[in-house]
Amino acid sequence: CHLIGMSMNSFSSPASSVSVLENLAGVKGPKLSIEGVEAMVLHAPIASPVRGAFGKMDFRPGLLVKLTDASGQSGFGEIWANFPQGGANYKAVLTENYIAPLLVGQAFRHPAEIIDLLEEKLACLTLQTGDFGAMAQIFAGIDQAAWDLFCKRLDTPFWQLAQARPEVLVYASGIGPEGVANTIRKEAAFGHCRFKIKMGFGEAIDRANLEQALAALPEGGLLMTDANQVWSPELARQWLQRQDAAGVFWCEEPLRADTSPEQWKALAASAGKVRLAAGENLRGLESFVAIARAGGVSVLQPDVGKWGGITRNLQLDGQLRGTSVWMCPHWLSGAVGLAASLQFKAAIGGEGFVEVDTNPNKLRTGLLNTAFRVRDGRIILSDDPGLVPPLALAMLDKLKSPTQGVSD
């Protein structure tokens, strides 16, 4: 647990002038002749709402997509659906009414071709509706499913196809605003040594939670914070000075995602040793590259269920190779997207770690035949073929929402 990330390359793929996607583009596999596209809305009840600075979840929503090809094999992906409530149902309708007709009956030589087709064919519809986020999230989940299907057809785990090693550093997330100290101690006992607490709840709560987190941090542990975009630039500067004095490693989204790269750079100049992290709410390759190259954000957090899936984020990694930016995938939902995030990070290697939610969620802990286990701050990926390990189908059926909306 003393590994912050500086020794990652001892067991991760080293940086190379040839990107991971370029290597994967040369992999020859069977054609993916798509015969079925299915969206599955999931609903996991929880005892207490999950609160963030901008809203809450009264239950844990999920949206999976399944691609089936002519071989009868299926691949799974997860479309981000945390907010707003009911958003998963809407995206399921879009998937079945617009995505399925485009893909069924088509044959693809490589999984990356699928997101290319979707972005091209649905560009005008996206502009017409203004649903840039929803469409990007659907494309991202479809892309995950395409890679899962491709790897399963090759009978190979994704990390192995990428010539990577199956060890990924992780951190415990979703901590607070209640029970911060107890959660950190509990997750440390489960094998975590890096922790991220939520902030943005006001001076008194944030100050108390930061103090409690520091007191509960295990020896050699690492603490990060997440303001969820709610601070003003001045308040962000004040908190970053406090966090620098406290030894916080990074502060996530102290500003809104639509803040200019120049403003991020200015804030970083007053942040001391605290790294600025952002990316879960960015969309488009150009946005990520601009904010990374401006020099303010040094921890980039793409979400494979919100934008780009595996393909576009591998392109992003290729553009940022040789820079000092850490790629730390964001994820705060179910097991399918977590698996994709872990596989993506294993493939690209480099410094950084993957987010693992600590809040109760059967979509994360119950959907796989074998749940992920954290040991010494890392997860070891299995040898199961695909991007996603085998699903617990009985639990999947149990968690399907009875109110899934599909248009007539």
Side-chain angles (χ1 to χ4, degrees), residues 15-23 285 289 293 300 307 310-323 327 344 347-348:
S16 168
S17 59
V18 179
S19 73
V20 177
L21 188 59
E22 287 175 313
N23 284 330
L285 194 61
V289 172
R293 294 196 180 279
L300 206 57
W307 173 82
I310 300 300
T311 300
R312 294 290 178 256
N313 280 297
L314 287 177
Q315 289 178 334
L316 173 61
D317 173 67
Q319 292 212 20
L320 296 181
R321 290 206 157 213
T323 71
M327 290 279 277
F344 167 67
I348 65 173

Side-chain angles (χ1 to χ4, degrees), residues 142-180:
I142 292 285
D143 185 78
Q144 294 170 40
W147 280 103
D148 188 40
L149 176 58
F150 185 67
C151 292
K152 285 175 177 172
R153 292 293 310 275
L154 291 170
D155 198 32
T156 305
F158 180 80
W159 63 262
Q160 195 172 89
L161 196 69
Q163 301 176 45
R165 295 190 63 184
E167 299 180 54
V168 185
L169 300 185
V170 298
Y171 68 92
S173 180
I175 301 172
E178 295 84 22
V180 166

